[in-house]
């Protein structure tokens, strides 16, 4: 539920879904002369640069092509086919266009970035390759991986847990707020970084979201058209991932802004950033320099491809991380080119960074030491594609796309129903997965034991797997004559795993989520009242409500935060007059 782009909030706030239907991103994945390559276009400037790269400057004149360009896919595909992967990557990288080879289990360990960073290591018994940890820490060290325990090897073993003592007094958390009293400087943008800090904000941390009027958080651009008043405050995506945070705008590339940033770091417990690596480097904010401002600081950096290696400064968005890590390779149907999931790379990186941050907090609690955490987005992605490299290095098997099927169930697929969707189209589906003989018996009973289903060859999992296509044809015909609710009503009581496939913005209609109060209503001064997703877990000690304050307006807390640093009202007014702080994007004319 946390891997979708706040679709319920989006439709509540803007009255329309984020997307009107499924779509394949263009350019996305393409077949070059010597392999698969993916190039991404996520901003207006990137689209203009891409048009120049492929030799079609006339496309720049049609502004509608930035939003809708699928009809250009064949032309773009031919350009890809006329060039090698290295040629395309060199051109795209020079223009700072997100790009990556589409890697799989066979090719991942040999990519130069992963070789340079030592991203893969032999398992402790030397049988296959496995990815390293999803984050790297210093001076705290992660325990090296040990071999998986053999069955029963530790039977009878017992140990006594030791409660560590802390050399650092910690602030007592506010009742029901696990991270009450923890101050975090959130120098992140878009989805990956904010998804890390948002969890802490929902659980009581004081999170200051740092932006500037020249470079506001990019998710502010994803929502209402710029012709609307205060368009930068109308993004349901920004709102969905930044509740409970405070907003400070600060141009820290200016001399005065840089000085204020250092004063802010000095009163923070944690700094989290996901800029490209050169931004903090150019600002002189290394872990060593930050520790001179606060000795026990925790610094979490979330570069796309890591802080070293030949891809260090490459532009990284969710889809390039998915391409480079093998996620894209396994997404799609076997008879088609792979598709970018276009989501998993960001929140997956954010949650892994959160895990690294929690370890760093525990280390500081025990020792009083500050900790540096490098949580590269691609390292997190490699942890969830590890099976591909393990399978290939152990058995020489390249895992391939299987559409909606899986390795442990047959039949398993999506089947079109007889329902019409909200746009009047025959585009409603159910998911069915049968993984045991008992479930197969239940499916036959629900279908009325048709003659084709009683074939003895289908009585075993192996037989059903070998005849999956035959079963699919019969299930497609059966489902097509019925509505989704009828299908679920027939199959579920017979023990068959089944569910209606819903569009993301209809998550709020799921009765189970309603019963668990997964969505909370939040009032926003610009976009109004909307439902907001919470967390996929509950805590016995609370908090009972996770969204306590709407996402901040741009620079909403400038005066409050700068006042805490000791600035007078006159000094704050001068900063705004000089453009160091502000309340509207520079491009909005303010």
């Amino acid at each position: 539920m946390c891997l979708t782009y706040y679709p319920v909030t989006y439709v509540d706030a803007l009255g329309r879904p984020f997307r009107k239907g499924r779509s394949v991103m263009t350019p996305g994945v393409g077949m070059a002369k010597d392999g698969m390559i993916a190039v991404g276009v996520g901003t207006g400037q990137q689209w203009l640069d891409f048009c120049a790269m492929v030799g079609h400057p006339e496309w720049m004149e049609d502004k509608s092509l930035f939003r809708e360009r699928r009809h250009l896919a064949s032309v773009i595909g031919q350009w890809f086919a006329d060039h090698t992967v290295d040629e395309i990557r060199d051109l795209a990288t020079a223009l700072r266009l997100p790009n990556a080879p589409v890697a799989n289990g066979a090719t991942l360990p040999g990519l130069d970035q992963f070789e340079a960073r030592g991203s893969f290591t032999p398992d402790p018994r030397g049988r296959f390759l496995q990815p390293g940890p999803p984050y790297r820490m210093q001076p705290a060290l992660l325990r090296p991986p040990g071999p998986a325990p053999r069955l029963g090897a530790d039977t009878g073993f017992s140990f006594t847990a030791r409660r560590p003592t802390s050399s650092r007094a910690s602030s007592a958390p506010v009742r029901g707020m696990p991270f009450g009293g923890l101050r975090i400087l959130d120098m992140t943008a878009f989805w990956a970084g904010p998804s890390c800090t948002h969890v802490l904000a929902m659980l009581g941390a004081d999170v200051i979201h740092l932006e500037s009027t020249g470079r506001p958080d990019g998710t502010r651009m994803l929502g209402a058209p710029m012709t609307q008043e205060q368009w930068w405050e109308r993004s349901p995506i920004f709102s969905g991932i930044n509740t409970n945070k405070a907003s400070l705008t600060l141009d820290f590339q200016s001399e005065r802004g840089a000085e204020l940033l250092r004063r802010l770091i000095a009163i923070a417990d944690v700094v989290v950033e996901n800029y490209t690596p050169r931004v903090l480097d150019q600002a002189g904010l290394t872990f060593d320099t930050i520790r001179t401002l606060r000795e026990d600081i925790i610094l979490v950096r979330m570069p796309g491809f890591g802080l070293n290696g030949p891809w260090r400064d490459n532009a990284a968005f969710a889809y390039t991380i998915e391409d480079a890590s093998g996620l894209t390779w396994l997404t799609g149907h076997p008879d088609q080119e792979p598709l970018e999931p276009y989501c998993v790379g960001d929140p997956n990186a954010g949650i892994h960074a959160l895990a690294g941050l929690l370890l760093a907090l525990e280390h500081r609690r025990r020792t009083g030491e500050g900790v540096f955490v490098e949580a590269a987005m691609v390292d997190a992605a490699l942890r969830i594609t590890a099976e591909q490299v393990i399978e290939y290095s152990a058995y020489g098997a390249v895992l391939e796309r299987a559409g909606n099927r899986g390795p442990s169930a047959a039949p398993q697929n999506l089947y079109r129903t007889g329902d019409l969707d909200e746009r009047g189209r025959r585009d409603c589906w159910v998911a069915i997965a049968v993984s045991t003989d008992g479930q197969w018996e239940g499916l036959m009973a629900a279908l009325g034991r048709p003659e084709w289903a009683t074939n003895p060859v289908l009585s075993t999992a192996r037989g059903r797997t070998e005849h999956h296509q035959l079963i699919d044809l019969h299930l497609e015909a059966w489902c097509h004559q019925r509505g989704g609710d009828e299908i679920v009503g027939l199959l579920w009581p017979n023990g068959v795993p089944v569910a209606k496939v819903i569009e993301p913005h209809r998550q709020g209609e799921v009765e189970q989520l309603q019963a668990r109060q997964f969505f909370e209503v939040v009032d926003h001064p610009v976009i109004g009242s909307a439902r907001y997703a919470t967390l996929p877990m509950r805590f016995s000690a609370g908090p009972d409500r996770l969204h306590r304050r709407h996402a901040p307006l741009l620079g909403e807390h400038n005066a409050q935060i700068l006042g805490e640093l000791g600035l007078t009202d006159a000094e704050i007014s001068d900063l705004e007059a000089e453009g160091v702080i502000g309340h509207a994007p520079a491009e909005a004319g303010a």
Side-chain angles (χ1 to χ4, degrees):
M1 293 301 300
C2 293
L3 296 178
T4 49
Y5 228 175
Y6 307 97
V8 174
T9 307
Y10 202 100
V11 79
D12 281 1
L14 298 182
R16 56 181 173 82
F18 183 50
R19 291 194 176 95
K20 294 182 179 180
R22 295 178 297 280
S23 63
V24 177
M25 302 309 297
T26 304
V29 177
M31 181 62 72
K33 280 184 178 180
D34 55 349
M36 285 187 185
I37 173 73
V39 178
V41 172
T43 68
Q45 185 59 52
Q46 288 172 356
W47 170 244
L48 298 178
D49 292 337
F50 179 79
C51 293
M53 183 178 81
V54 299
H56 284 280
E58 73 278 7
W59 291 349
M60 301 180 190
E61 306 301 322
D62 187 348
K63 294 183 179 180
S64 68
L65 293 179
F66 177 65
R67 294 291 181 190
E68 180 53 62
R69 49 183 181 266
R70 285 177 291 181
H71 60 288
L72 303 177
S74 60
V75 178
I76 294 171
Q78 185 57 56
W79 185 89
F80 274 58
D82 292 338
H83 297 78
T84 66
V85 168
D86 286 343
E87 288 171 348
I88 297 171
R89 294 205 65 215
D90 288 345
L91 285 169
T93 300
L95 293 169
R96 295 202 55 75
L97 292 174
N99 70 89
V102 178
N104 60 33
T107 61
L108 276 165
L111 293 179
D112 54 354
Q113 177 68 7
F114 300 146
E115 287 185 334
R117 284 175 57 79
S119 299
F120 293 94
T121 59
D123 89 289
R125 293 196 174 105
R127 298 167 298 173
F128 51 81
L129 288 178
Q130 64 184 36
Y135 30 77
R136 305 177 184 199
M137 309 174 73
Q138 61 171 343
L141 297 176
L142 295 171
R143 185 173 63 183
R150 299 190 184 282
L151 183 63
D154 300 303
T155 300
F157 176 79
S158 64
F159 67 94
T160 302
R162 178 177 62 88
R163 181 179 295 278
T165 57
S166 172
S167 61
R168 177 181 183 271
S170 59
S171 302
V174 180
R175 178 173 176 80
M177 293 285 118
F179 294 101
L182 184 73
R183 172 165 285 185
I184 298 172
L185 180 57
D186 176 11
M187 301 172 65
T188 70
F190 286 100
W191 196 3
S195 68
C196 168
T197 57
H198 192 213
V199 176
L200 297 169
M202 285 194 282
L203 296 178
D206 175 16
V207 179
I208 300 172
H209 189 59
L210 188 69
E211 304 175 71
S212 71
T213 58
R215 295 182 67 89
D217 190 326
T219 54
R220 288 189 182 272
M221 315 301 171
L222 301 176
M226 293 186 180
T227 53
Q228 281 194 280
E229 184 181 359
Q230 286 188 285
W231 54 264
W232 59 91
E233 306 293 4
R234 296 181 180 276
S235 169
I237 297 172
F238 178 85
S239 295
I241 201 168
N242 288 292
T243 62
N244 302 342
K245 298 181 184 180
S247 172
L248 171 67
T249 54
L250 190 66
D251 176 13
F252 62 82
Q253 292 182 330
S254 68
E255 182 178 349
R256 187 74 174 109
E259 187 268 332
L260 289 171
L261 177 60
R262 283 168 167 76
R263 290 171 63 179
L264 199 58
I265 291 172
I267 63 170
D269 293 288
V270 178
V271 175
V272 184
E273 68 88 22
N274 71 336
Y275 303 134
T276 54
R278 66 182 185 280
V279 174
L280 244 62
D281 296 347
Q282 291 172 351
L285 295 175
T286 65
F287 181 51
D288 288 336
T289 59
I290 285 179
R291 279 197 295 182
T292 65
L293 303 173
R294 175 161 179 169
E295 185 178 1
D296 64 350
I297 195 81
I298 293 173
L299 172 63
V300 180
R301 301 192 64 180
M302 297 177 60
F305 293 107
L307 294 175
N308 65 306
W311 299 7
R312 175 186 185 272
D313 293 317
N314 286 15
F317 287 78
Y319 42 88
T320 51
I321 297 301
E322 293 159 1
D323 301 328
S325 65
L327 276 164
T328 297
W329 174 261
L330 280 186
T331 304
H333 294 274
D335 57 344
Q336 299 173 0
E337 289 183 356
L339 301 172
E340 293 164 319
Y342 223 78
C343 67
V344 187
D346 274 335
N348 177 67
I351 297 306
H352 278 87
L354 173 63
L357 171 54
L358 294 179
L359 288 176
L361 287 170
E362 176 62 12
H363 178 83
R364 184 171 72 179
R365 188 182 72 82
R366 294 183 182 209
T367 68
E369 288 185 316
V371 182
F372 171 55
V373 181
E374 179 197 354
M377 293 176 67
V378 77
D379 288 350
L382 292 177
R383 298 297 296 184
I384 60 172
T385 60
E387 182 184 15
Q388 293 187 59
V389 172
I390 292 172
E391 283 287 328
Y392 184 79
S393 58
Y395 308 115
V398 177
L399 298 182
E400 301 285 355
R401 295 175 293 287
N404 295 306
R405 295 179 180 178
S408 59
Q412 178 175 331
N413 218 325
L414 304 186
Y415 304 93
R416 194 191 305 266
T417 74
D419 291 327
L420 298 180
D421 69 8
E422 58 193 65
R423 301 175 191 89
R425 304 173 304 184
R426 276 288 181 96
D427 195 22
C428 293
W429 305 74
V430 292
I432 299 173
V434 172
S435 57
T436 68
D437 290 343
Q439 292 170 1
W440 174 249
E441 284 292 323
L443 178 61
M444 286 199 298
L447 297 179
R449 298 191 179 277
E451 183 177 352
W452 67 266
T454 59
N455 188 333
V457 75
L458 302 180
S459 63
T460 65
R462 180 175 180 178
R464 293 191 292 273
T465 300
E466 292 175 348
H467 294 83
H468 202 305
Q469 189 64 29
L470 172 67
I471 299 173
D472 274 352
L473 290 173
H474 286 289
L475 283 181
E476 287 170 2
W478 186 82
C479 290
H480 196 64
Q481 299 171 14
R482 293 164 174 82
D485 289 331
E486 179 186 357
I487 294 169
V488 172
L490 289 170
L491 269 55
W492 188 259
N494 280 280
V496 181
V498 60
K500 291 169 64 176
V501 178
I502 62 171
E503 292 190 66
H505 65 275
R506 309 201 53 180
Q507 294 168 359
E509 301 171 16
V510 178
E511 292 180 355
Q512 182 70 7
L513 296 178
Q514 292 175 354
R516 289 180 55 77
Q517 299 180 322
F518 181 79
F519 293 97
E520 294 177 348
V521 176
V522 178
D523 289 323
H524 186 281
V526 177
I527 64 176
S529 179
R531 291 167 295 174
Y532 287 70
T534 57
L535 292 174
M537 73 285 287
R538 287 288 185 270
F539 303 94
S540 59
D544 296 328
R545 182 175 174 84
L546 293 165
H547 297 290
R548 298 174 302 282
R549 189 174 66 237
H550 64 77
L553 306 181
L554 186 64
E556 180 180 353
H557 302 92
N558 286 350
Q560 174 187 330
I561 295 168
L562 295 177
E564 290 177 9
L565 292 180
L567 275 68
T568 65
D569 291 344
E571 288 173 319
I572 293 171
S573 296
D574 287 343
L575 289 172
E576 186 156 6
E578 296 169 8
V580 177
I581 64 174
H583 296 85
E587 61 190 273

